[in-house]
Amino acid sequence: VEIPTTVYALRSHAFEMTCFKEITIPSTVKEIGDFCFAHSKVEKLTFDCDVIGKDLGEKLCYLASNLKTIIFI
């Protein structure tokens, strides 16, 4: 899943319990809510941005046991 550049926030629990294997987050996203990827099947997260200075929630990947790779571009 590639998040469109028109998206500015991923709310809490947005991808919780989803089956997407790869998710790419563009630099336009300024906020990622609590538990956004919790309990999901995601294996790879790619941040097309610098996450420093972003509003990142707590326990973003809580119990996302398939997560193997996080890339910061």
Side-chain angles (χ1 to χ4, degrees), residues 13-60:
H13 307 276
F15 288 94
E16 184 175 16
M17 299 177 75
T18 59
C19 294
F20 300 116
K21 297 209 183 268
E22 296 185 16
I23 300 173
T24 301
I25 302 164
S27 59
T28 55
V29 172
K30 306 296 183 202
E31 174 188 337
I32 301 175
D34 297 341
F35 297 93
C36 191
F37 309 103
H39 302 279
S40 70
K41 302 281 187 206
V42 67
E43 295 175 3
K44 178 180 175 185
L45 283 175
T46 302
F47 291 88
D48 184 17
C49 57
D50 182 3
V51 295
I52 296 172
K54 307 285 182 186
D55 185 7
L56 301 178
E58 293 184 16
K59 300 182 181 180
L60 295 178

